[in-house]
Structures are given as structure tokens and as C-alpha cells.
Amino acid sequence: DVKVTQSSRYLVKRTGEKVFLECVQDMDHENMFWYRQDPGLGLRLIYFSYDVKMKEKGDIPEGYSVSREKKERFSLILESASTNQTSMYLCASSFTGIPLHFGNGTRLTVT
Amino acid sequence: KNQVEQSPQSLIILEGKNCTLQCNYTVSPFSNLRWYKQDTGRGPVSLTIMTFSENTKSNGRYTATLDADTKQSSLHITASQLSDSASYICVVSPYNQGGKLIFGQGTELSVKP
């Protein structure tokens, strides 16, 4: 079974803090994705990566950055967390350019 | 503008009953259409994937249909079970736009005993 593991299920951070969300997949997938999911807005793509050290902006990259130093790990970084970044964050991976396997999400609250 | 609209927003049915969820999209041309099931507190799990040339695809008690002419898809759930309670998300992949996906807002299904 493919496993996409997000390191934290719940996270509470203060405004202005630097936040790291970690995602690891065990299927040697080239492609990894970060989405945020908000009520009424569905899933929105933040960033995706198609190879180590490669990244592409998604629809809402502002306020976020990513890091892919190893194939299995894709990190989402909030440089200075703000309250409007309170959301559910979902990581996904795939062999193709379309996400197939999702992690269980990290619910981030910024106070 | 590429959009995916799902209806109803939420639905409550009794265990054992059938139900149909709707997805209308304006994405054109498109590469494929997917239905995901998302349990509370979990990530989405792919149920079906259909290319523009397919009309129907089944996965156990789940059957997805696609009418590319009217730009409509439906997900039919047969003999519902309590474990079917979840959010069902319709996702359309525009043709030749790499990993871009257009997500619907989901239908929240609640199956009651």
C-alpha cells in the first residue's frame, strides 16, 4: 500500500512564526504536491514538485515556499505564519503529474 | 473560467438506500474526470478515473457516469452503508495543462441507520 505520511495531524502556531509541514512518501514517486483545503473553496494547489530540487508554483503560492532535497520528502514552509493561513494542508504524490495518493492532512491553526 | 460545480451540497440518506451525486463542469477540453471520497479527518482517496471517451466506470458499489456532450458526471452509490458517510469530490483535469486540477467543493453525504 502506498503511504503518504504527514508528520503532524494538528498544529497550533502563533502569528509570525516560521512553520514547517513535512510530507514523506514511500513509493518512489517523482511528483509531490501541497494543497490547502478550506470550507466552500475545495482543494487549492500551493506548490508541486516533479523532481528533487525542482518546484513549480500552483494557484496560491503567496506566503509559502517548499523544499525537496530528497525524492521521498516534500516540505511546505510558511515563512511568517498569518491567521489567514489557518487551514487543512494536504500532501499528495504520484508517478504522473496528477496527484493520486493523499496524506491524511495537517490541520494548522495560526493564532 | 474553468469550474466544477457539485450538487447537492449535502445529502442525508438511510442505510441501504441508493443515491446519486452530480457534477457539472465547464472545463473544456479535458483529459480526465475523477471522483474522490474523503472521510472526515483523512485525505481524499480516488474512487474512479474516466477519460473523456469513457461513459461509465464502476468500483464496487460506486458507479460513475460521464456525458462529455452535456459536461455532466454523476456518482451513483448502491445499497449505501454507514461507512459511505464522507465528502465526495469531483475533480477535472484540463487537457494539456500538466498537473493542474479543477476541484469541486464536494458533496457531504451522511448515511443514517
Side-chain angles (χ1 to χ4, degrees):
Chain A
D1 257 6
V2 174
K3 219 170 181 183
V4 178
T5 304
Q6 293 182 232
S7 54
S8 304
R9 291 299 302 274
Y10 301 94
L11 215 49
V12 179
K13 296 291 181 181
R14 291 185 186 271
T15 301
E17 276 193 82
K18 190 168 185 175
V19 182
F20 292 85
L21 302 184
E22 305 287 348
C23 175
V24 176
Q25 50 97 0
D26 65 359
M27 276 301 290
D28 204 34
H29 287 162
E30 283 81 16
N31 300 280
M32 296 186 75
F33 310 80
W34 274 108
Y35 289 87
R36 63 177 283 176
Q37 185 176 29
D38 300 289
L41 295 176
L43 276 80
R44 292 179 291 167
L45 180 65
I46 305 171
Y47 267 98
F48 70 96
S49 168
Y50 51 90
D51 203 350
V52 175
K53 296 192 188 295
M54 307 301 283
K55 61 186 179 186
E56 290 282 343
K57 291 180 180 179
D59 298 318
I60 51 164
E62 298 78 19
Y64 303 95
S65 62
V66 290
S67 171
R68 185 122 181 248
E69 296 297 317
K70 292 185 178 182
K71 194 174 187 180
E72 66 270 18
R73 187 179 296 270
F74 192 34
S75 304
L76 180 69
I77 303 155
L78 287 65
E79 296 292 341
S80 177
S82 63
T83 54
N84 63 13
Q85 291 178 310
T86 291
S87 185
M88 168 72 92
Y89 290 88
L90 289 161
C91 174
S93 74
S94 176
F95 280 122
T96 71
I98 298 176
L100 189 58
H101 301 281
F102 283 85
N104 284 331
T106 295
R107 187 166 291 283
L108 172 67
T109 302
V110 182
T111 62
Chain B
K1 184 183 175 184
N2 285 333
Q3 283 188 309
V4 176
E5 302 277 348
Q6 291 187 242
S7 62
Q9 198 171 358
S10 62
L11 183 61
I12 301 174
I13 62 172
L14 291 176
E15 187 179 11
K17 297 295 186 184
N18 303 336
C19 68
T20 300
L21 314 181
Q22 299 289 348
C23 173
N24 294 341
Y25 59 92
T26 60
V27 183
S28 185
F30 76 97
S31 178
N32 59 70
L33 184 147
R34 300 164 177 242
W35 283 92
Y36 284 88
K37 178 188 179 191
Q38 185 175 18
D39 293 313
T40 302
R42 301 275 189 159
V45 174
S46 183
L47 289 175
T48 63
I49 303 171
M50 288 185 291
T51 65
F52 66 90
S53 60
E54 293 180 288
N55 300 115
T56 186
K57 187 73 72 83
S58 290
N59 179 359
R61 294 180 296 103
Y62 301 101
T63 300
T65 63
L66 175 63
D67 186 334
D69 291 332
T70 61
K71 295 186 173 61
Q72 294 180 324
S73 176
S74 63
L75 181 69
H76 186 75
I77 304 174
T78 304
S80 60
Q81 300 175 358
L82 298 179
S83 59
D84 292 331
S85 294
S87 179
Y88 291 84
I89 305 170
C90 175
V91 185
V92 180
S93 176
Y95 180 75
N96 233 11
Q97 288 192 36
K100 185 166 182 69
L101 298 177
I102 313 295
F103 286 82
Q105 294 180 18
T107 291
E108 195 72 38
L109 174 66
S110 181
V111 180
K112 302 289 188 187

